[in-house]
């Protein structure tokens, strides 16, 4: 199931506030992995590089694990905390709706690579983003952050040539 809107508020982005679901056939109460793409907070999407996340989703679904690949708003148009707010919104949508697709809302894991790894780690460790959605850290079953940026103090303004820091907006 592709391009499901996870946020439909007044300021919803018609492209970026969407997710793709890959589900096990004929199964119920299965765990779900929500994956957040990388791209330095400035590029990328859930169908990056020849549908890598779609391939992963179909593979997990064959192993009786649901998979949700999400998009989120990007910098420089959107600054922090837009990225993590979107990840929290997507998680909240999954938590509220995955049972109707056969998944278990108490077994949702968050995973991400690079910028997505940062967002997965932040979502799983800083409760304020989930609190905004009426949820808490207890609602995340586990986190799988891969190659994320975890120490922003170590970053220099030239960390991504030609782009401002997506968190502060500085060059």
């Amino acid at each position: 199931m592709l391009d499901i809107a996870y946020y439909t508020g007044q300021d919803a982005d018609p492209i970026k506030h969407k997710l793709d679901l890959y589900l096990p056939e004929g199964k119920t109460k299965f765990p779900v992995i929500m994956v957040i793409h990388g791209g330095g907070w400035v590029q990328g999407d859930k169908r990056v590089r020849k549908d890598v996340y779609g391939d992963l989703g179909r593979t997990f679904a064959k192993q009786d694990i649901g998979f949700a690949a999400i998009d989120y708003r990007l910098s420089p148009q959107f600054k922090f905390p837009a990225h993590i707010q979107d990840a929290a919104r997507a998680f909240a949508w999954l938590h509220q709706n995955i049972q109707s697709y056969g998944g278990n809302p108490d077994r949702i894991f968050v995973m991400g690579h690079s910028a997505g790894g940062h967002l997965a780690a932040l979502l799983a460790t800083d409760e304020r983003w989930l609190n905004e959605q009426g949820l808490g850290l207890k609602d995340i079953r586990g986190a799988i952050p891969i190659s994320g940026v975890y120490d922003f103090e170590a970053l220099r303004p030239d960390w991504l040539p030609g782009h401002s820091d997506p968190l502060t907006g500085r060059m």
Side-chain angles (χ1 to χ4, degrees):
M1 306 182 84
L2 306 179
D3 290 325
I4 299 168
Y6 65 79
Y7 177 65
T8 57
Q10 184 176 356
D11 60 338
D13 185 292
I15 296 170
K16 292 300 185 179
H17 286 133
K18 301 228 173 148
L19 58 81
D20 294 346
L21 283 180
Y22 302 89
L23 306 170
E25 290 187 34
K27 302 292 180 181
T28 60
K29 299 184 181 180
F30 50 82
V32 178
I33 295 172
M34 182 183 95
V35 68
I36 308 168
H37 69 78
W41 307 277
V42 299
Q43 64 184 355
D45 61 51
K46 59 187 167 53
R47 297 206 191 116
V48 69
R49 290 189 221 146
K50 299 183 182 178
D51 201 25
V52 168
Y53 296 123
D55 289 341
L56 277 173
R58 288 182 285 276
T59 299
F60 276 105
K62 288 178 186 174
Q63 300 301 315
D64 299 334
I65 299 169
F67 192 86
I70 74 161
D71 272 338
Y72 57 91
R73 293 171 293 169
L74 301 172
S75 293
Q77 184 178 0
F78 296 95
K79 304 277 187 268
F80 184 86
H83 320 89
I84 188 62
Q85 288 170 330
D86 289 351
R89 287 171 172 162
F91 183 88
W93 185 93
L94 279 172
H95 191 267
Q96 293 164 2
N97 294 283
I98 199 62
Q99 192 166 7
S100 67
Y101 294 91
N104 185 338
D106 296 324
R107 296 178 68 200
I108 302 174
F109 296 77
V110 294
M111 178 173 89
H113 172 259
S114 191
H118 161 257
L119 294 172
L122 187 58
L123 190 64
T125 59
D126 188 338
E127 195 160 41
R128 67 183 142 161
W129 311 112
L130 289 171
N131 287 169
E132 287 180 2
Q133 302 301 315
L135 299 171
L137 297 180
K138 65 178 176 24
D139 296 304
I140 295 178
R141 183 66 171 176
I144 311 161
I146 303 167
S147 301
V149 176
Y150 310 111
D151 182 3
F152 285 94
E153 297 294 321
L155 293 178
R156 298 183 319 266
D158 63 345
W159 68 282
L160 187 59
H163 291 81
S164 62
D165 179 327
L167 301 180
T168 66
R170 292 179 297 195
M171 290 296 280

